[in-house]
Amino acid sequence: MDNESIKNMLLDIQPSSLEFTVTMTGKESKRVNGLYKPDTREILLHNKNFKTENELVYTAVHEYTHHIINEEQTVLSGGRNPPGHSRCHTNSFWAKFHGLLDVAEQKGYYKLDLSGSPELEKLTDEIREKYIRSNGQMMQELGKKLIKAHALCEQANIRYEDYLDRILQLPRTTARSATKVGMLPDEDASLGFDNMKIVASCKKSDDRAKAVEAIKSGKSPDSVAALIKRKAKESDPKEKLEKERDRLTRTISELTHRLEFVEESLAHL
């Protein structure tokens, strides 16, 4: 592939109205495989790093994702160059990237095929069954035990948070996540703990079912998380306003208490 054919491939995957260039540098780099310069809208590909065209396409789509996001941000900023961000590989980035890779596969530009390595296929099955599924089952069982422990703590007049912190020495975030996945159907354990956390974050049963379906169909965790986030933004306007009201009420209450403390402290100076 030459520079022009790579650019045409990228435009076929997703059109862009923002002009950009693609340049294979003819170099090898130990630091990066490619680079996108948002100011000049250049995609640089260190093609000496790649053994196959498939590897080249993967990196080209990666850098093009930066360009697409740059274009979206430019539109949002009214045509001005968007401000630079310290963190460019966000969950939104990976979700967009994996979506573009899906299109690249559908159009025959890229493939992710394990059939060329029977050993890798066998190892993949082992990882899924012995580790991902087992981890999901273990954390789901932990969640069920924590739910029971919470109830017993209340019966014994013991603060559950203190029990987590100083008896189990279990981080509260881990405990909350395990408790949530503990309430999911047992068959969801095959998804693995991290994917189960994504499913458990869905409040509606229909959304949970769609998340499970998306994961099982091969969607990346970032893509599924982005789908859930997008659906949340499309939720009932009344519900969104009620949530905002509750959040503002809590904030006002916290600030009021803080103001009272500051005023009392000043009175004693």
Side-chain angles (χ1 to χ4, degrees), residues 139-149 178-179 181-184 186:
M139 295 305 291
Q140 188 176 47
E141 188 62 28
L142 172 61
K144 293 177 181 178
K145 298 298 183 185
L146 288 175
I147 293 171
K148 184 176 180 179
T179 299
V181 304
M183 294 184 284
L184 294 176
D186 290 346

Side-chain angles (χ1 to χ4, degrees), residues 41-52:
R41 299 163 189 166
E42 295 177 87
I43 292 176
L44 302 178
L45 303 172
H46 299 310
N47 50 300
K48 291 291 185 179
N49 283 21
F50 310 124
K51 295 179 181 179
T52 66

Side-chain angles (χ1 to χ4, degrees), residues 7-19:
K7 181 176 180 179
N8 289 335
M9 173 197 69
L10 296 173
L11 288 170
D12 188 40
I13 292 172
Q14 178 169 321
S16 172
S17 58
L18 194 65
E19 184 55 39

Side-chain angles (χ1 to χ4, degrees), residues 205-235:
S205 59
D206 287 348
D207 291 338
R208 287 194 294 272
K210 289 177 182 177
V212 170
E213 182 182 356
I215 293 168
K216 289 184 175 180
S217 71
K219 296 294 183 183
S220 71
D222 290 302
S223 298
V224 179
L227 175 65
I228 293 171
K229 188 176 181 180
R230 187 165 62 249
K231 282 188 170 293
K233 288 182 178 179
E234 297 170 354
S235 62

Side-chain angles (χ1 to χ4, degrees), residues 20-215:
F20 68 98
T21 61
V22 175
T23 302
M24 288 190 288
T25 64
K27 298 178 182 179
E28 181 179 353
S29 172
K30 294 183 179 180
R31 294 181 62 250
V32 294
N33 291 321
L35 184 68
Y36 176 69
K37 296 183 176 182
D39 294 336
T40 55
R41 299 163 189 166
E42 295 177 87
I43 292 176
L44 302 178
L45 303 172
H46 299 310
N47 50 300
K48 291 291 185 179
N49 283 21
F50 310 124
K51 295 179 181 179
T52 66
E53 187 173 286
N54 208 46
E55 293 176 318
L56 172 65
V57 171
Y58 179 90
T59 300
V61 174
H62 178 109
E63 303 308 333
Y64 187 56
T65 305
H66 286 299
H67 174 74
I68 293 296
I69 291 176
N70 184 45
E71 179 178 22
E72 292 171 352
Q73 292 174 344
T74 299
V75 171
L76 290 174
S77 61
R80 300 184 299 275
N81 284 334
H85 296 281
S86 58
R87 183 167 176 258
C88 57
H89 290 138
T90 62
N91 288 343
S92 296
F93 169 86
W94 291 116
K96 184 67 176 177
F97 172 50
H98 293 143
L100 293 180
L101 274 182
D102 286 340
V103 178
E105 282 192 276
Q106 293 165 11
K107 290 180 174 286
Y109 295 121
Y110 177 75
K111 63 180 180 179
L112 180 60
D113 185 8
L114 305 186
S115 61
S117 175
E119 185 178 2
L120 179 57
E121 280 189 304
K122 182 179 178 181
L123 179 61
T124 301
D125 291 338
E126 181 182 355
I127 290 171
R128 282 175 172 161
E129 189 61 32
K130 292 181 64 176
Y131 301 98
I132 295 178
R133 177 190 288 271
S134 296
N135 178 247
Q137 291 172 334
M138 180 180 66
M139 295 305 291
Q140 188 176 47
E141 188 62 28
L142 172 61
K144 293 177 181 178
K145 298 298 183 185
L146 288 175
I147 293 171
K148 184 176 180 179
H150 194 170
L152 291 174
C153 281
E154 290 184 343
Q155 291 176 18
N157 296 317
I158 294 172
R159 282 301 299 263
Y160 177 64
E161 294 82 3
D162 198 20
Y163 171 76
L164 290 175
D165 295 340
R166 297 196 297 140
I167 299 297
L168 293 183
Q169 296 175 298
L170 185 67
R172 296 186 190 186
T173 53
T174 302
R176 281 195 294 269
S177 297
T179 299
K180 288 180 180 179
V181 304
M183 294 184 284
L184 294 176
D186 290 346
E187 58 266 24
D188 287 349
S190 63
L191 304 175
F193 180 51
D194 290 301
N195 283 331
M196 292 171 77
K197 287 192 290 184
I198 295 174
V199 174
S201 69
C202 301
K203 295 183 178 180
K204 298 179 180 179
S205 59
D206 287 348
D207 291 338
R208 287 194 294 272
K210 289 177 182 177
V212 170
E213 182 182 356
I215 293 168

Side-chain angles (χ1 to χ4, degrees), residues 240-256:
K240 289 176 66 176
L241 287 172
E242 288 175 344
K243 287 182 179 179
E244 184 177 4
R245 178 198 61 195
D246 295 341
R247 186 168 60 251
L248 290 172
T249 301
R250 287 194 302 270
T251 302
I252 291 170
S253 177
E254 291 169 0
L255 290 175
T256 300

